[in-house]
Amino acid sequence: MSALTLSLRADQGALVIEALAELPFKTVFDLIGRLNRQANAGAGAGEDAAQAYSVSLPDLQLIVGALRLLPYHRVHLLMDALEEQVAGMGEA
């Protein structure tokens, strides 16, 4: 399965984790663990610095599905950024 690379700031990563935490634990525990390990590996880059996260397509689908369950005003900027990144992957 091909890995996708998402670039997220710390606040965006926290919002992803918050959204995933609203889903059933058995569905998201592995993904949350992998995202946390990647975040910890890149710790110290600063709050505004983007960090690369490697995810699979099913991971991305789960993330987007979880974000859709949160209020629009909280996630629309992140959803726009993810859409732009995914569109750029198709061009590469």
Side-chain angles (χ1 to χ4, degrees):
M1 186 176 306
S2 177
L4 307 171
T5 302
L6 300 178
S7 180
L8 302 172
R9 295 185 320 266
D11 62 321
Q12 293 172 323
L15 189 55
V16 167
I17 297 297
E18 180 183 335
L20 290 170
E22 295 295 323
L23 298 178
F25 180 72
K26 67 181 182 178
T27 306
V28 298
F29 79 97
D30 185 53
L31 176 55
I32 290 174
R34 283 186 277 119
L35 292 174
N36 276 327
R37 281 190 295 280
Q38 291 180 64
N40 290 337
E47 190 74 17
D48 292 334
Q51 180 175 335
Y53 291 87
S54 180
V55 298
S56 67
L57 182 55
D59 291 343
L60 179 60
Q61 291 169 330
L62 191 56
I63 289 168
V64 170
L67 288 169
R68 285 184 176 149
L69 298 175
L70 293 181
Y72 176 79
H73 72 277
R74 296 201 52 218
V75 300
H76 74 280
L77 295 175
L78 176 52
M79 294 292 281
D80 290 346
L82 289 174
E83 183 177 316
E84 187 175 302
Q85 289 182 51
V86 170
M89 289 174 198
E91 295 170 4

